């Protein structure tokens, strides 16, 4: 592999700082984590967006969350077609091997992936409709969410679609037989969340009200 290069200096400095402080003060705990393996209680599926920081908003340490990030926190439908499905593999491992008790889908405000889907559905993003667009084909997962939007101004509909991305993912999760079985047996609970980045807000999907409700 001839193309990889050493880390930039600022990252080396940050690593060395972490090793000398956070790691040095907790090395016994880190060694125990290494020896005992991971036993996370929850899996989180969140967006790749650099502003979404689930370990920070829940004050979680190493070992607590099994995290999978992809564009727009999407779970594809169950498709056992022999192809390579990264998100589905992470879900299968979390549920069947790690046996997590909670599965959290976390959406967020200002999601670029959701906006891309919105523009594509509005006919304003032909580049995303190209067969070769990885982002476009990935965002096809959210198209059923677009069909549920109420009429209104674009910013409101965009936020509706961000929340719909959570609901589409929750619905698709239940199409995986091992998820459906674990939920039915009471071993696994699904949760839908949406965070407002600028305000630090957090809302959860409340099925009895069929609405996102502030935490
Ligand atoms: Zn996003």
């Amino acid at each position: 592999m001839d193309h990889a290069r050493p880390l930039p200096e600022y990252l080396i400095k940050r690593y060395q700082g972490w090793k000398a402080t956070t790691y040095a003060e907790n090395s016994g705990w880190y060694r125990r984590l290494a020896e005992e393996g991971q036993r996370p209680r929850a899996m989180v599926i969140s967006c790749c967006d650099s502003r979404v920081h689930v370990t920070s908003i829940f004050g979680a340490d190493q070992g607590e969350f099994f995290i999978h990030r992809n564009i727009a926190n999407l779970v594809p439908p169950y498709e056992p077609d022999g192809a390579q499905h990264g998100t589905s593999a992470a879900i299968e491992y979390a549920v069947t091997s790690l046996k997590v008790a909670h599965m959290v889908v976390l959406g967020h405000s200002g999601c670029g992936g959701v906006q891309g889907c919105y523009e594509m559905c509005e006919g304003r993003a032909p580049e995303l409709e190209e067969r070769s667009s990885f982002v476009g084909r990935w965002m096809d997962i959210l198209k059923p969410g677009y069909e549920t939007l109420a009429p209104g101004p674009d910013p409101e509909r965009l936020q509706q679609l961000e929340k719909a991305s959570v609901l589409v993912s929750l619905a698709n999760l239940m199409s995986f037989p091992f998820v459906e079985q674990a939920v039915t047996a009471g071993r696994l609970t699904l949760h839908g969340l949406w965070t407002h980045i600028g305000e630090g807000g957090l809302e959860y999907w409340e099925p009895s009200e069929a609405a996102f409700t502030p935490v």
Side-chain angles (χ1 to χ4, degrees):
M1 185 56 215
D2 296 331
H3 306 293
R5 294 288 179 268
L7 276 176
E9 195 60 31
Y10 82 100
L11 287 181
I12 291 174
K13 283 209 161 58
R14 284 198 196 175
Y15 164 70
Q16 289 169 338
W18 172 83
K19 189 76 189 284
T21 57
T22 307
Y23 177 80
E25 289 155 18
N26 301 281
S27 58
W29 180 69
Y30 280 100
R31 288 207 176 87
R32 214 180 80 202
L33 275 180
E35 285 162 13
E36 296 181 358
Q38 62 167 334
R39 281 197 295 260
R41 292 178 64 196
M43 175 174 183
V44 178
I45 298 169
S46 68
C47 185
C48 296
D49 191 304
S50 57
R51 301 165 299 175
V52 176
H53 207 335
V54 69
T55 51
S56 174
I57 66 177
F58 288 116
D61 281 320
Q62 278 92 338
E64 288 193 48
F65 290 156
F66 186 76
I67 302 174
H68 179 76
R69 301 177 71 150
N70 63 41
I71 290 194
N73 39 267
L74 290 173
V75 174
Y78 177 65
E79 286 177 318
D81 55 9
Q84 290 162 326
H85 296 280
T87 299
S88 305
I91 293 165
E92 179 183 83
Y93 187 70
V95 174
T96 66
S97 293
L98 297 174
K99 302 190 190 313
V100 294
H102 302 277
M103 180 78 73
V104 178
V105 178
L106 173 63
H108 72 100
S109 62
C111 183
V114 168
Q115 182 170 8
C117 181
Y118 185 78
E119 299 296 337
M120 180 169 64
C121 292
E122 295 272 312
R124 298 195 292 246
E127 71 282 5
L128 291 178
E129 293 179 37
E130 300 282 340
R131 184 176 161 80
S132 58
S133 167
F134 289 114
V135 172
R137 302 294 62 70
W138 178 249
M139 293 311 304
D140 283 344
I141 297 170
L142 184 54
K143 280 184 171 173
Y146 177 82
E147 305 301 326
T148 68
L149 301 183
D154 281 342
E156 276 176 27
R157 281 160 59 80
L158 264 171
Q159 199 170 92
Q160 285 177 31
L161 193 56
E162 286 164 4
K163 294 177 179 180
S165 79
V166 176
L167 300 182
V168 165
S169 291
L170 290 175
N172 285 343
L173 271 171
M174 288 299 279
S175 70
F176 288 74
F178 44 85
V179 172
E180 195 270 338
Q181 286 159 15
V183 169
T184 304
R187 298 192 305 270
L188 175 65
T189 314
L190 307 186
H191 310 271
L193 297 177
W194 175 85
T195 179
H196 191 293
I197 289 176
E199 294 174 10
L202 188 64
E203 300 181 8
Y204 72 100
W205 175 252
E206 173 54 66
S208 67
E209 294 174 20
F212 278 85
T213 308
V215 172

